[in-house]
């Protein structure tokens, strides 16, 4: 196990204009490799701040990774701060600089040889890290016993260059760690604690739990592959967990596996207005997803899905019978094997004492019949919609399991 | 202007399991109030790390805000670290503790008076911050000239308690700052630099730029309201910027304003599969959005939207005539005034040399006629879809402006 500090450079991060993602992503990968991130820090585009942070960090960790500040403008200070701290000067990066240059010609090339030249320089004695996507080279050097990597902050470039570093073994894995992603669909943190609070300790498994709007993502690590297997086995011995457990972290993958070659899906959405369809197609789905209807208005529910206007009038758009009628309607309309539907009140307005904000009905129509489910989700509009999407996918997954048997 | 350091405590942040959001959100509000965040740091659930970070920060900034580590479990170390650094001990928080207790009865109350009691304690001499949503009190105290606030890390609680602090003036605004949010729809950073690179400097405006998949969000601040007006005026004098500028940060707000009482919208989506409809309904839209069709399969394009199968065969699903036919079809089907459509190849598979991944056609049908636009977006599936959604909203917005005149 090696220790890491990650520094993200950029005023936009401290302005709160953008959520830092490079360090979060890298942390997750380093943890999976068995490493330990001791600190993540965001610092402004200012020489003194970056120098201060760097000096506080080097010597305390095995590796430091800096994201950002390598571009061509006056805001980009990482390169010169590294040279200053290393007590050297910036020099042309030679081979790696030529490799970047060779991808360009004409005006871009002459700017890279002229005004944008600084992006292709590194402190004397440092190694240049090739940038396969952009024009700013990364930097690798040693400071006070800490190996320091500086990569561009543009997310695609950061990720591609981190890939290179990990792939080439510049940051080697800690060999003794075994890790497993698990997904508990529709299980709360409270339930997990009640049913299996001490299991991970019994197997010596280090467990990270991430609740996500009705799901729990688990990340289990330990030094012994047998112990991880034992832990998963023990989870499976609890019926409520066994029926909700997916090995891996992809519910969509399971849904596709259950559908493949057997079932076509369709979706009718009111309050989620396309979010369920979008979630199903977060990965390519053209071999099992036929499409859907966004029935945001009553006109669409009646005209497209064939919901009975009398039923709408009598029960209201937010009701179990309307959810069922929408699911049957979209299934029929698209000639699909399953129809999934959602109708409810996402808020912030539109709630009444009888039908408050967060009340949602989900419907499903399948060869087993048509069913509906009632929920009352807490939270703002975005959270109610996110919970509705996740619960809809859970209902679809359970229905597919029941169909496949 | 006051200076701030923000510390977020939690292994889950360093595990990369969750993106830090509390500090990002607070940063954004502090900046809008004219303050300066000098550093954001994430530290693990470990006494020594938090103590180290705190000692590095106090005395250097006016305010420090800590998020997390105030709960009842053994991982929650913030309270005891604050007491230790302050050289005092934890005591019952008196009035604010009773105020939280009074909301509970029965078992929860007896646990709060017993095993969960630690959440209602603060270092002697510190002020307790009331928690309107949960059971963990916050802490306010002074350390080496820095005013330190510790708030629970649960996002809803953090936000509600930060609201209290700002509302009560415990963190007062810097009076001399004027700020303005602007949105440049469909303008790239390169274009802005070319057209107005030095404008903000000329007016003494401090500018943060956040590119977001085809939009630029600008956040402009300065000490003089006249200068901000002058800057916006100067932007407006550049035709390409004037036609793309929205004051404020809500494109949806502009779309609603242009539609209100005039037009009903409808959307037909293939590659985005509901994402455009979802984006339109991120805010309540039932007074102008009728709904849409997710025509992910050719069956849905033909059967529901009435796209001519011969046209599909001849031109392919990813083509301008099909985009136009989809826009007309959904407009007719839903009896709407405008139909917006998207069809293309989000990837990662499905591309060909003639029709590569990222090729997208957007269509719009309105009382002015039916039009289509061709784009080639770079990036992975998620980015192609995000760019498609933003470009579709831009086309809709420009069409509405042309209609309203």
């Amino acid at each position: 196990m090696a220790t890491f500090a990650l520094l993200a450079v950029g005023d936009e991060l401290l302005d709160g204009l953008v959520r830092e993602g490079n360090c979060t992503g890298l942390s997750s990968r380093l943890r999976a490799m068995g490493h330990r991130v001791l600190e993540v820090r965001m610092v402004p585009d200012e020489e003194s701040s970056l120098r201060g942070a760097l000096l506080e960090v080097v010597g305390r960790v095995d590796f430091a990774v800096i994201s950002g500040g390598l571009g061509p403008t006056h805001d980009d200070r990482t390169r010169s701060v590294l040279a200053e701290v290393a007590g050297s000067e910036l020099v042309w990066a030679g081979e790696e600089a030529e490799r970047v240059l060779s991808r360009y010609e004409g005006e871009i090339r002459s700017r890279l040889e002229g005004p944008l030249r600084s992006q292709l320089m590194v402190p004397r004695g440092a190694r240049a890290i090739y940038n396969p996507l952009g024009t700013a080279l990364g930097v690798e050097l040693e400071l006070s016993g800490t190996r320091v990597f500086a990569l561009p902050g543009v997310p695609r470039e950061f990720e591609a260059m981190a890939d290179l570093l990990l792939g080439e073994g510049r940051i080697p894995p800690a060999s003794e760690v075994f890790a497993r992603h698990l997904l508990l669909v529709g299980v709360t943190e409270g339930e997990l604690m009640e049913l299996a609070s001490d299991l991970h300790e019994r197997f010596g498994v280090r467990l990270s739990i991430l609740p996500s709007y009705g799901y729990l993502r688990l990340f289990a690590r330990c030094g012994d592959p047998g112990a991880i297997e034992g832990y998963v086995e023990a989870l499976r011995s609890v019926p409520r967990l066994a029926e909700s457990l997916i090995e891996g972290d992809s519910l969509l993958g399971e849904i596709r596996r259950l559908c493949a070659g057997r079932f076509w899906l369709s979706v009718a959405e009111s309050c989620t207005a396309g979010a369920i369809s979008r979630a199903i197609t977060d990965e390519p789905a053209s071999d099992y997803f036929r499409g859907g209807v966004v029935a945001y208005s009553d006109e669409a529910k009646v005209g497209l899905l064939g919901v009975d206007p009398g039923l709408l009038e009598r029960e209201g758009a937010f009701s179990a019978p309307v959810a069922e009628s929408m699911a049957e309607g979209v299934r029929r309309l698209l000639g699909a094997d399953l129809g999934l539907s959602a109708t409810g009140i996402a808020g912030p307005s539109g709630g009444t004492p009888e039908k408050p904000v967060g009340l949602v009905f989900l419907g499903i129509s399948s060869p087993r019949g048509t069913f509906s489910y009632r929920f009352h989700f807490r939270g703002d509009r975005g959270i109610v919609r996110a919970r509705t999407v996740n619960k809809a996918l859970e209902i679809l997954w359970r229905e597919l399991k029941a169909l496949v048997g």
Side-chain angles (χ1 to χ4, degrees), chain A residues 67-306:
Chain A
S67 158
L70 293 173
T73 77
H74 64 284
D75 284 347
D76 292 301
R77 292 312 193 185
T78 300
R79 225 175 276 284
S80 53
V81 166
L82 285 173
E84 185 197 334
V85 174
S88 68
E89 74 214 300
L90 289 172
V91 296
W92 182 249
E95 193 187 333
E96 298 300 334
E98 301 297 336
R99 210 173 141 201
V100 168
L101 264 188
S102 70
R103 304 200 312 251
Y104 299 91
E105 37 191 45
E107 206 218 337
I108 297 184
R109 186 178 174 115
S110 62
R111 288 174 72 184
L112 281 173
E113 289 173 321
L116 303 184
R117 184 180 164 82
S118 64
Q119 295 174 92
L120 298 174
M121 301 184 82
V122 296
R124 187 183 298 284
R127 192 177 80 91
I129 305 170
Y130 180 64
N131 183 338
L133 298 176
T135 52
L137 289 175
V139 178
E140 174 180 348
L141 77 176
E142 182 134 345
L143 292 173
S144 309
T146 294
R147 185 136 295 266
V148 178
F149 299 95
L151 304 179
V154 180
R156 290 173 58 227
E157 298 178 21
F158 182 90
E159 204 179 320
M161 292 168 77
D163 276 349
L164 287 179
L165 292 178
L166 302 180
E168 289 169 358
R170 309 289 308 182
I171 300 176
S175 56
E176 78 286 4
V177 164
F178 299 90
R180 187 75 69 81
H181 282 280
L182 301 169
L183 193 63
L184 283 167
V185 181
V187 174
T188 66
E189 224 175 343
E191 277 180 294
L192 179 64
M193 287 301 111
E194 212 174 297
L195 295 168
S197 67
D198 54 349
L199 267 189
H200 59 286
E201 282 173 24
R202 199 195 307 160
F203 286 91
V205 165
R206 182 152 182 246
L207 190 64
S208 298
I209 303 173
L210 177 65
S212 173
Y213 301 128
Y215 299 176
L216 292 181
R217 282 166 57 202
L218 307 186
F219 184 50
R221 279 153 295 168
C222 79
D224 170 6
I228 293 246
E229 296 303 330
Y231 172 65
V232 175
E233 212 47 55
L235 286 181
R236 283 204 184 282
S237 72
V238 182
R240 165 79 180 117
L241 299 181
E243 64 164 33
S244 306
L245 186 75
I246 288 175
E247 298 200 37
D249 57 4
S250 172
L251 179 56
L252 280 185
E254 284 301 296
I255 289 173
R256 147 172 296 184
R257 193 180 61 75
L258 290 164
C259 283
R262 292 191 193 96
F263 304 116
W264 284 97
L265 305 184
S266 62
V267 178
E269 305 182 60
S270 179
C271 57
T272 45
I276 298 172
S277 295
R278 192 198 85 137
I280 288 174
T281 58
D282 270 349
E283 294 168 19
S286 42
D287 48 350
Y288 68 93
F289 179 62
R290 194 150 269 172
V293 169
V294 177
Y296 201 65
S297 58
D298 284 356
E299 287 90 336
K301 292 182 186 77
V302 172
L304 266 167
L305 296 174

